[in-house]
Amino acid sequence: MNTVNSPVKQPNVVVFFTDQQRWDTTGVHGNPLELTPNFDRMAQRGTHLYHTFSCQPVCGPARAVMQSGQYATTSGCFRNGIPLPPGTPTLAHYFNEAGYRTGYIGKWHLAPNNQPVTPEFRGGYQDWLASNVLEFTSRAYQTTMYDENCEAVRVTRAQSVCRRPSAGPASRVAGRFASLSAC
């Protein structure tokens, strides 16, 4: 029971923005190959939206809609290559205001170029381990993302992040949110 003097424990929130998947790519949606056991388990134990749709079939605009809650024509991100304007309220801003620590890991696709994403284009996320366009920083089984200092972090396997020993907040975010371990 919560009282006035006891803090309310907020639930952990993990949001997955995936690209280029059919509705039946994951086990939770009917794929029998057991390719996504961790994702399936989280979806079964948490809140999962089975029927969601986007009016934006392209990556950047779809991500802008999901991050900002605005139509692509309102945010200005109506095709790939158009950044989300700095200062646009995103999921991160709302979670930050509610007292959460926010982190983003993976493909962003909402910054102005293919370079490491600078803080003003990170949508308000506090911790960062991402690449703006993974297609330009990755190849099979080897991905390069960038931490909050715009330093390269090489991911060589699904559960391994290789970085210099001076691991900072990005490695803590990776460990906390994605169960990644330092090499």
Side-chain angles (χ1 to χ4, degrees):
M1 172 185 250
N2 292 320
T3 65
V4 174
N5 295 328
S6 68
V8 176
K9 183 170 171 37
Q10 295 177 307
N12 291 325
V13 178
V14 178
V15 178
F16 286 91
F17 292 104
T18 62
D19 263 6
Q20 303 171 6
Q21 292 188 26
R22 291 172 18 147
W23 68 271
D24 63 351
T25 303
T26 60
V28 73
H29 294 120
N31 188 307
L33 300 178
E34 299 182 23
L35 300 172
T36 56
N38 295 328
F39 177 83
D40 298 338
R41 189 171 35 262
M42 285 189 287
Q44 290 165 349
R45 293 180 182 169
T47 300
H48 179 253
L49 306 174
Y50 284 89
H51 301 288
T52 58
F53 303 90
S54 170
C55 59
Q56 296 300 320
V58 181
C59 180
R63 288 171 181 270
V65 167
M66 294 297 291
Q67 286 288 340
S68 70
Q70 300 175 350
Y71 285 112
T73 52
T74 302
S75 71
C77 298
F78 56 87
R79 65 171 168 77
N80 283 340
I82 298 176
L84 189 64
T88 300
T90 65
L91 287 173
H93 292 102
Y94 297 112
F95 278 105
N96 292 341
E97 288 174 10
Y100 281 87
R101 178 114 190 131
T102 56
Y104 193 91
I105 299 173
K107 179 180 180 178
W108 181 241
H109 218 167
L110 295 173
N113 55 44
N114 300 331
Q115 304 300 316
V117 180
T118 54
E120 68 271 17
F121 288 102
R122 293 181 186 163
Y125 285 93
Q126 297 163 322
D127 296 311
W128 189 262
L129 183 60
S131 178
N132 192 43
V133 185
L134 283 174
E135 297 87 340
F136 296 132
T137 64
S138 304
R139 53 181 204 254
Y141 305 107
Q142 185 173 350
T143 299
T144 300
M145 295 189 286
Y146 299 90
D147 66 13
E148 60 281 339
N149 297 314
C150 295
E151 294 181 19
V153 177
R154 194 183 79 223
V155 180
T156 57
R157 292 178 304 205
Q159 294 185 338
S160 177
V161 172
C162 298
R163 61 180 295 128
R164 291 185 309 282
S166 61
S171 64
R172 290 192 300 276
V173 170
R176 192 166 57 243
F177 292 112
S179 298
L180 302 173
S181 59
C183 295

